[in-house]
Amino acid sequence: MDRLRFGTGGSPFSSQKRSTLSGIERIAELGLECLEVEFVHGVKMSAEEAARIRERSAALDVKLSAHGPYYINLASLEKQKIGASRAMLLQTAKACQAMGADRFTFHPAFYQQRSSEEVYPIVKEQLQLLRTSLLENGITAVQIRPELTGKPTQFGNLEELIRLAHEVEGVALCVDFAHAQARSGGQVNGYDDFAGMLTQIKSELGKATLEDMHIHMSGINFTAKGERNHLVLEEAEIDWRALMQALKDFKVKGLVICESPNLEEDALKMQEYYEGIGGRG
Ligand SMILES: [Zn+2]
């Protein structure tokens, strides 16, 4: 990616219509630079719509990503749900290819009382199968990016994601820093923690990974069970300014998708702050 770009998860609220096309126009008007298309309740997009989205986003230089359906569980105890999850991810990838998005993210799985060591190989195998079916469908330029999840019952901590990105071709990560705070019960928050995560990514996956990151950010409300709901930045404990400083210092490039309830307002707030600060080191 050419630089760190800021945008929203779903079309900005101030878009003329709640369509992706209208969202792309609004992103560009606001001076934001990317948009995550939400397929969280299912993948629905006609070929005509995808073609128009592809054309407008390229013309306005708005980079696109997608978020797969919420009901995915690649390690479900019910076998047919695993296959259905993989099918939904393939559909998401096809939509990405059609609209010109180079990545999609999703919540990969639940532990369901099992250990990380038990669930990891199941998820890994499913992602390998997914990658194979992407290639069989001629989808070579769409990255599979499992997300750092917000609850300790969900598979998807930083270690698991790094390992998947390391071991499965075509897999990268989506780092949700608000989820990192929530799943740690609030322990992960502040410059040293964020910088520590970036250091871990850099040392295990290499500098190139930091040059094309996919990031989710918002304020977040959580309990001992992890994520409850998203908050606007100023109402949350998360030290978002420290995160911006860490992203600057580590020369991170890629997409920052704002998932605060006020979408574009917080996206612009982060972008403005990020652009106003200098990097250290
Ligand atoms: Zn998500």
Side-chain angles (χ1 to χ4, degrees), residues 176-273:
D176 187 319
F177 286 95
H179 282 171
Q181 184 197 21
R183 76 177 287 141
S184 70
Q187 289 203 347
V188 172
N189 188 16
Y191 185 87
D192 291 346
D193 295 318
F194 301 142
M197 291 169 71
L198 296 172
T199 301
Q200 199 180 341
I201 292 166
K202 186 178 173 181
S203 69
E204 295 185 42
L205 296 173
K207 192 162 155 276
T209 297
L210 290 188
E211 290 172 350
D212 191 12
M213 290 274 280
H214 193 69
I215 294 167
H216 280 181
M217 184 57 181
S218 69
I220 199 157
N221 180 22
F222 56 88
T223 65
K225 290 179 178 164
E227 169 180 27
R228 280 194 67 184
N229 55 285
H230 290 187
L231 298 171
V232 301
L233 292 174
E234 289 306 339
E235 287 170 12
E237 279 172 34
I238 198 156
D239 190 351
W240 62 273
R241 291 179 183 84
L243 174 62
M244 294 303 115
Q245 187 66 57
L247 296 176
K248 194 91 180 200
D249 294 347
F250 282 78
K251 300 182 176 66
V252 171
K253 296 175 188 173
L255 309 184
V256 178
I257 300 298
C258 178
E259 295 187 321
S260 291
N262 64 0
L263 291 179
E264 63 266 44
E265 212 176 298
D266 275 355
L268 287 163
K269 187 186 288 243
M270 287 191 278
Q271 183 188 50
E272 188 185 9
Y273 184 82

Side-chain angles (χ1 to χ4, degrees), residues 61-91:
D61 189 27
V62 172
K63 299 283 185 218
L64 298 178
S65 57
H67 196 305
Y70 281 144
Y71 24 86
I72 279 164
N73 183 359
L74 289 174
S76 176
L77 297 169
E78 294 166 69
K79 277 258 161 21
Q80 79 273 22
K81 286 195 179 163
I82 296 183
S85 295
R86 221 172 58 231
M88 281 187 269
L89 291 173
L90 176 58
Q91 270 188 299

Side-chain angles (χ1 to χ4, degrees), residues 131-175:
R131 163 76 173 168
T132 302
S133 58
L134 257 60
L135 296 181
E136 283 165 2
N137 282 274
I139 304 170
T140 54
V142 178
Q143 305 152 4
I144 302 165
R145 290 182 177 257
E147 178 173 335
L148 199 163
T149 47
K151 290 181 182 159
T153 50
Q154 286 175 295
F155 177 90
N157 63 30
L158 187 60
E159 288 68 32
E160 289 159 346
L161 298 185
I162 287 175
R163 201 172 153 201
L164 286 172
H166 200 71
E167 295 179 358
V168 185
E169 192 69 33
V171 171
L173 33 144
C174 167
V175 182

